[in-house]
């Protein structure tokens, strides 16, 4: 497995924030945390390539949003906020080294953080960053490869993966306050502790679960389910409304 990551921009403080308060981000600490995150990916037997092609873009370290990379095709995102619309251009040629590429074009919008793969099903969040036109275009692209697309309403959070991610056995880890559970009746659900609302964002990497060190109760919950855990410190990225999945774009080689 390959993980594309992107160094945090020196302009990270100017990043988009929608559902979190504006706090001061310690940039040097963010760099240290990003390096440790990349080391955690390597410890999960992942080849890590760290880019710096969008250094002037405040949100560029959140590279997951740029594309959805499946085994058969990559879908280049159409970003849901104007400040990020130039980011995909620099990443596209790198992804093209690994996959055939198809683009979502504006005014349709779709961001990678809103797409969760569970087997041959792709859950897609209807969010402030991904619209119905984007979901329709995405479905038209991926259904020819045998994927089923399920739109999932979310609320009070940025992306689907803020509220819902997948565990190694196919169960979904969710924050029920931020997602419409009635749309997930096909899946077994595990609810996170109510006092850790951001903890539903975990990253499945070669059967390991990466999650922020701040979410200790959720870590205990996942451990009790029998899954391997790697905790990483991501305090500065949490201030930027970023989670553990946001910082890498995973590609099966």
């Amino acid at each position: 497995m390959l993980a594309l990551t992107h160094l945090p921009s020196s302009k990270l403080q100017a990043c988009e924030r929608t559902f979190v308060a504006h706090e001061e981000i310690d940039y040097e600490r963010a760099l240290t945390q990003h390096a440790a995150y990349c080391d955690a990916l390597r410890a999960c037997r992942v080849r890590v390539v760290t880019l710096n092609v969008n250094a002037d873009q405040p949100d560029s370290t959140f590279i997951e949003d740029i594309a959805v990379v499946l085994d058969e095709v990559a879908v280049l995102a159409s970003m849901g906020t104007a400040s990020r619309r130039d980011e995909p251009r620099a990443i596209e040629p790198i992804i093209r080294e690994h996959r055939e590429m198809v683009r979502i074009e504006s005014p349709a919008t779709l961001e990678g953080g809103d797409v969760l793969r569970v087997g041959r099903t792709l859950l897609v969040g209807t969010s402030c960053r991904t619209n119905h036109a984007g979901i329709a275009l995405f479905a038209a692209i991926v259904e020819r490869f045998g994927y089923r697309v399920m739109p999932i309403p979310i609320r009070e959070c940025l992306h689907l993966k803020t509220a819902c991610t997948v565990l190694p056995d196919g169960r979904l880890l969710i924050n029920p306050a931020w997602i419409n559970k009635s749309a997930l009746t096909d899946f077994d659900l595990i609810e996170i502790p109510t006092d850790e609302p951001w903890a539903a964002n975990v990253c499945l990497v070669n059967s390991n679960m990466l999650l922020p060190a701040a979410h200790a109760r959720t870590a205990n919950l996942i451990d009790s389910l029998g899954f391997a855990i790697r905790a990483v410190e991501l305090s500065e990225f949490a201030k930027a409304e970023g989670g553990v999945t946001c910082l890498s774009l995973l590609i099966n080689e």
Side-chain angles (χ1 to χ4, degrees):
M1 179 177 285
L2 168 67
L4 298 180
T5 67
H6 196 290
L7 282 174
S9 168
S10 61
K11 299 179 180 180
L12 183 60
Q13 182 61 40
C15 68
E16 292 285 342
R17 281 171 271 196
T18 306
F19 296 98
V20 298
H22 282 251
E23 296 183 63
E24 190 68 28
I25 296 170
D26 185 328
Y27 178 64
E28 293 302 320
R29 191 176 185 190
L31 289 175
T32 299
Q33 291 178 356
H34 190 268
Y37 173 85
C38 292
D39 285 343
L41 289 173
R42 293 185 185 98
C44 297
R45 308 181 309 282
V46 172
R47 183 168 72 92
V48 177
V49 174
T50 299
L51 308 173
N52 197 27
V53 294
N54 279 320
D56 290 335
Q57 303 293 328
D59 284 280
S60 55
T61 197
F62 303 120
I63 192 171
E64 176 190 42
D65 294 326
I66 299 300
V68 178
V69 182
L70 303 171
D71 295 337
E72 304 87 354
V73 68
V75 181
L76 194 69
S78 172
M79 308 302 281
T81 184
S83 66
R84 300 198 66 186
R85 285 179 188 156
D86 287 338
E87 291 180 40
R89 184 182 303 113
I91 305 296
E92 179 178 2
I94 300 161
I95 300 174
R96 282 192 182 276
E97 296 175 8
H98 304 276
R99 294 289 190 278
E100 172 193 352
M101 176 74 73
V102 183
R103 292 191 189 98
I104 300 291
E105 301 285 0
S106 180
T109 62
L110 180 131
E111 293 191 357
D114 274 318
V115 181
L116 178 66
R117 179 178 176 179
V118 187
R120 303 300 293 181
T121 297
L122 300 172
L123 308 181
V124 185
T126 56
S127 72
C128 62
R129 297 293 182 86
T130 294
N131 62 24
H132 291 288
I135 296 173
L137 288 176
F138 180 70
I141 294 165
V142 302
E143 285 175 353
R144 63 190 173 100
F145 297 104
Y147 292 95
R148 175 179 66 145
V149 170
M150 291 181 60
I152 305 294
I154 62 170
R155 55 186 175 269
E156 298 179 31
C157 65
L158 192 62
H159 289 125
L160 173 69
K161 286 183 182 175
T162 316
C164 174
T165 49
V166 65
L167 296 170
D169 62 0
R171 284 183 286 181
L172 301 183
L173 187 70
I174 69 163
N175 178 344
W178 291 349
I179 195 165
N180 186 345
K181 289 172 60 177
S182 66
L184 299 172
T185 54
D186 290 351
F187 303 93
D188 292 328
L189 308 178
I190 303 290
E191 297 186 11
I192 59 170
T194 56
D195 59 349
E196 293 181 351
W198 298 93
N201 182 257
V202 298
C203 188
L204 173 58
V205 185
N206 287 334
S207 77
N208 293 273
M209 303 304 303
L210 266 63
L211 76 165
H215 302 151
R217 292 190 63 195
T218 301
N220 289 336
L221 170 63
I222 295 172
D223 180 67
S224 73
L225 298 174
F227 303 128
I229 295 170
R230 287 190 179 274
V232 287
E233 181 56 64
L234 295 177
S235 61
E236 302 315 298
F237 300 100
K239 295 175 186 177
E241 205 165 5
V244 70
T245 65
C246 309
L247 293 171
S248 58
L249 184 59
L250 300 177
I251 301 174
N252 287 322
E253 294 189 288

